[in-house]
Amino acid sequence: MRIGVVSTLFHPVIGGTEILAKGICEGLHKLGHEIELITTKNKDRKDSDFDYKVINLEEVNFSNS
């Protein structure tokens, strides 16, 4: 199954939401799902470090949603 995960921030930013999102992505990927993580760009992150696709947007912001 193809699954999209959205997280405003993601690794290497470390916080509760980021750790949870990373665990979900890794767990679902290990179960054989195709994962696409949608997150805000981070110049310190190497997307090649992940076994799933990372989609970088200029800003992911849900504050007014």
Side-chain angles (χ1 to χ4, degrees):
M1 181 182 300
R2 189 177 197 185
I3 300 172
V5 176
V6 180
S7 182
T8 304
L9 299 173
F10 194 70
H11 187 79
V13 176
I14 300 298
T17 302
E18 295 77 24
I19 292 170
L20 178 61
K22 188 171 188 247
I24 289 170
C25 289
E26 291 174 353
L28 290 171
H29 183 264
K30 286 180 184 176
L31 291 173
H33 298 287
E34 181 182 349
I35 304 301
E36 291 186 0
L37 169 73
I38 300 111
T39 190
T40 303
K41 275 187 190 176
N42 184 323
K43 63 180 174 54
D44 297 325
R45 179 177 45 244
K46 293 181 186 176
D47 298 340
S48 60
D49 289 345
F50 304 100
D51 294 331
Y52 39 87
K53 184 175 181 179
V54 178
I55 299 170
N56 293 292
L57 302 177
E58 287 300 320
E59 182 181 16
V60 177
N61 185 342
F62 296 103
S63 61
N64 293 318
S65 296

